[in-house]
Amino acid sequence: MTAPLSTLAFYILAAFAEIGGCFAFWAVLRLDRSPLWLAPGAVSLALFAWALTRVDADAAGRAFAAYGGIYILASLVWLKMVEGVAPDRWDLIGGAICLGGAALILWGPGRG
């Protein structure tokens, strides 16, 4: 079984790889960037898929469900750090609720 910190590290890697890969497509399709952005975007999405398979969970659906909370938090960090938009209090409260839900899914009673 993977240690909780290792699981969290793989989730964080997966989240930023997914966001980066999706942002590459966003940049091409919405921001008129060069289609050359798609190559690193595809590599980033492959890294996302690999990282998500490294999470120790008894079922893929449970791993994916818990990942949702991490993805939301990482998206808020991306919003601030890359796009320069400060999350508001509702973003932060919602992110905290989702992160709590992810922790329950992974580490609730009877689990790891």
Side-chain angles (χ1 to χ4, degrees), residues 8-106:
L8 186 59
F10 280 121
Y11 271 141
I12 291 169
L13 174 62
F16 284 103
E18 182 181 14
I19 293 166
C22 290
F23 185 78
F25 282 79
W26 179 278
V28 171
L29 298 172
R30 302 278 304 265
L31 303 176
D32 294 323
R33 298 296 198 275
S34 166
L36 294 176
W37 279 60
L38 297 177
V43 170
S44 189
L45 289 171
L47 177 62
F48 150 69
W50 174 83
L52 200 53
T53 66
R54 304 293 92 196
V55 171
D56 187 28
D58 61 350
R62 183 166 288 135
F64 301 161
Y67 166 70
I70 305 300
Y71 178 83
I72 289 167
L73 181 64
S75 296
L76 295 174
V77 170
W78 180 278
L79 178 69
K80 174 65 176 163
M81 302 305 293
V82 176
E83 297 184 68
V85 177
D88 64 23
R89 68 179 172 187
W90 302 111
D91 295 327
L92 298 175
I93 292 168
I97 291 168
C98 292
L99 200 55
L104 282 174
I105 290 168
L106 274 182

